[in-house]
Amino acid sequence: MILLLMMADDFTGALDTGVQFAARGIQTKVVVDSQVDFSAYDTKVLVVDTETRHLPASQAYEIVSGLTERARRCGVRYIYKKTDSALRGNIGAELAALLKASGQSRLPFLPAFPQTGRFTKKGVHYVDGVPVTESPFGIDPFEPVIHSVVTDLIGEQTDLPAYSFPAQKEGSPLPEKDGILVFDAETPEDLENTGRALADQDELHIMAGCAGFGGVLPGLLGIGADQEKPLPALDPRLLVVCGSVNPITLAQLQKAEEAGFTRLRLTPRQKLEPGYWDTEEGKEQLVQIEAMLAEHPFSIIETNDPGSNQPTADYAAGLGIDRETLRVRIAGSLGQLVGELFTSSSLGTLLLTGGDTLLQCMNCVGAKELEPICELERGVVLASFTYRGCTRHVITKSGGFGQETLFIDLAERISHPL
């Protein structure tokens, strides 16, 4: 029976939180299905990617509310709303949906992920030492974060009261407020201590946060390991497939190219023409890409134009498509490309960056479920899935995670395992 339901608004977020349990040997499944049948899963932890980050707030509310109500009817004891560690998405609407549908009077929310430089202090959320609105996430072209004060951000989408509080100490009385309770955390110890205070007073039946607080939940909820899983041997070749425009990822790509990775940038037509990879030209390009992968053990396929993405924006304008269609078509093109290459003998370990990229790759190979294995680094998850009888290991990460040398470091790790 499912003990804990976790709901994430994108695929990479679902994985980087679910892996906090899987890496400890706790039976965990990650699925993409907001209408999931809870009775079909015999697992302690079920992580559902609701794909609500880009939806209107009202739709996100209904999806989270429906999942919460069905989980309660099925006897799920704990429900965790996983939020983006940079506060992107429909956070206010989704927290409100969880709280109202749960029948509880208050929802503790710990948005910090101090292990990756994202912390909350006096109610303000920071990324690498600056308020989130002054970070790269404040200028994201698709989903800019416009509030650094967490309660202000929540208030954009709900009338439910939201309050900000300092990190708690174990054994200390909790604030006597109803609504959404936002707790500061500047260190992992803050997350642990606040979590202990909540657990002591049985306040963890519903909760919210990112992978940071998710990482301390196994101990707080007393979920023991099933059977430890050994780290599998990985194919020593690495293909990075990137659909992210985040400056952190762009710097990682540049460093990798300077270190010898072969780098292929898809053209505007390849990214935006529906069915391009089924055309004669597309098929010829696939043959050339396979040859590139066979010759070069470390490769990059990405969707960013050199210098800026203006050529793609101009091409999109010529097709008369809006920004949302642009985003979906780019991710879909990458997904189809990966699907075509999936069973190729030239393909090694995959690294997919960006939640849209991962989702579309899964859609194109008809996979609805991934098995998380472990974290290779903070926010960098190793998982596996099978397609056409072929099982691949895939490394996933959000666009905003990792040091500049991440791709280089991962290539070294899988090609020279300890």
Side-chain angles (χ1 to χ4, degrees):
M1 181 178 177
I2 299 167
L3 180 66
L4 169 65
L5 167 66
M6 311 185 84
M7 297 178 285
D9 67 357
D10 81 334
F11 214 155
T12 52
L15 281 168
D16 70 28
T17 305
V19 78
Q20 306 302 322
F21 294 81
R24 292 168 168 84
I26 299 165
Q27 190 179 21
T28 305
K29 294 289 185 182
V30 178
V31 301
V32 187
D33 184 4
S34 61
Q35 301 300 316
V36 63
D37 178 4
F38 293 111
S39 65
Y41 288 90
D42 182 19
T43 184
K44 284 185 179 177
V45 179
L46 181 66
V47 188
V48 178
D49 169 22
T50 59
E51 280 304 304
T52 50
R53 179 171 297 180
H54 302 290
L55 293 181
S58 59
Q59 287 183 246
Y61 181 99
E62 291 301 324
I63 289 171
V64 172
S65 178
L67 272 169
T68 302
E69 291 174 355
R70 290 191 292 115
R72 288 182 64 204
R73 290 197 297 267
C74 290
V76 176
R77 186 173 180 185
Y78 301 107
I79 303 176
Y80 186 77
K81 179 66 199 74
K82 191 276 177 185
T83 57
D84 178 59
S85 62
L87 300 181
R88 294 171 294 179
N90 292 299
I91 290 178
E94 296 191 7
L95 295 185
L98 171 57
L99 180 54
K100 287 187 176 181
S102 71
Q104 301 286 318
S105 61
R106 52 188 184 175
L107 169 62
F109 178 33
L110 288 81
F113 198 171
Q115 299 93 326
T116 59
R118 300 171 189 192
F119 61 89
T120 314
K121 181 178 181 181
K122 295 183 179 179
V124 177
H125 200 62
Y126 292 83
V127 173
D128 295 330
V130 300
V132 63
T133 52
E134 299 173 23
S135 76
F137 299 100
I139 57 172
D140 186 287
F142 295 111
E143 47 192 0
V145 179
I146 60 173
H147 292 289
S148 293
V149 177
V150 182
T151 53
D152 288 351
L153 183 140
I154 293 171
E156 282 281 325
Q157 295 184 332
T158 180
D159 293 330
L160 287 180
Y163 305 97
S164 181
F165 300 100
Q168 302 295 291
K169 295 181 180 179
E170 186 175 356
S172 62
L174 293 173
E176 295 183 1
K177 293 284 189 179
D178 289 342
I180 300 169
L181 313 185
V182 181
F183 291 99
D184 288 351
E186 297 181 60
T187 66
E189 291 74 25
D190 286 342
L191 294 175
E192 180 78 32
N193 291 336
T194 298
R196 288 290 173 198
L198 291 165
D200 288 345
Q201 299 185 48
D202 199 28
E203 293 280 357
L204 291 178
H205 289 285
I206 61 168
M207 51 205 149
C210 65
F213 190 49
V216 304
L217 284 182
L220 295 177
L221 303 182
I223 303 178
D226 297 300
Q227 183 177 357
E228 293 291 340
K229 296 178 182 179
L231 181 66
L234 301 179
D235 191 306
R237 296 165 297 167
L238 180 66
L239 170 61
V240 177
V241 179
C242 174
S244 173
V245 298
N246 191 289
I248 294 171
T249 293
L250 299 184
Q252 292 164 346
L253 294 172
Q254 185 61 35
K255 282 288 184 182
E257 183 179 26
E258 292 170 0
F261 277 62
T262 296
R263 187 174 186 176
L264 172 65
R265 299 176 187 265
L266 299 185
T267 67
R269 183 182 177 210
Q270 289 171 335
K271 290 180 284 190
L272 297 178
E273 291 286 353
Y276 171 82
W277 301 108
D278 293 324
T279 67
E280 287 303 314
E281 178 184 319
K283 292 175 182 178
E284 291 175 4
Q285 288 297 311
L286 284 170
V287 172
Q288 294 182 28
I289 290 172
E290 280 199 77
M292 178 190 79
L293 298 180
E295 183 177 353
H296 301 281
F298 305 132
S299 300
I300 296 166
I301 298 176
E302 68 159 315
T303 58
N304 290 290
D305 300 323
S308 75
N309 285 316
Q310 193 59 46
T312 295
D314 293 342
Y315 196 91
L319 295 175
I321 61 177
D322 60 19
R323 179 170 289 185
E324 177 64 12
T325 304
L326 170 69
R327 180 183 68 81
V328 171
R329 284 199 186 178
I330 290 174
S333 176
L334 272 185
Q336 186 181 3
L337 173 59
V338 170
E340 294 291 340
L341 295 172
F342 194 82
T343 58
S344 170
S345 59
S346 300
L347 185 64
T349 300
L350 274 169
L351 191 159
L352 304 175
T353 180
D356 291 339
T357 304
L358 176 59
L359 177 66
Q360 291 303 325
C361 289
M362 296 291 290
N363 285 343
C364 288
V365 301
K368 293 293 185 182
E369 182 179 308
L370 275 180
E371 182 177 356
I373 299 171
C374 67
E375 275 189 310
L376 297 176
E377 295 193 17
R378 284 291 180 188
V380 180
V381 178
L382 176 66
S384 68
F385 68 96
T386 302
Y387 173 59
R388 293 180 180 174
C390 176
T391 298
R392 292 277 182 200
H393 288 107
V394 56
I395 301 168
T396 70
K397 85 170 190 78
S398 169
F401 277 159
Q403 68 278 13
E404 280 195 350
T405 59
L406 177 64
F407 299 149
I408 303 167
D409 297 341
L410 290 173
E412 174 67 20
R413 181 170 179 178
I414 68 174
S415 58
H416 297 94
L418 296 176

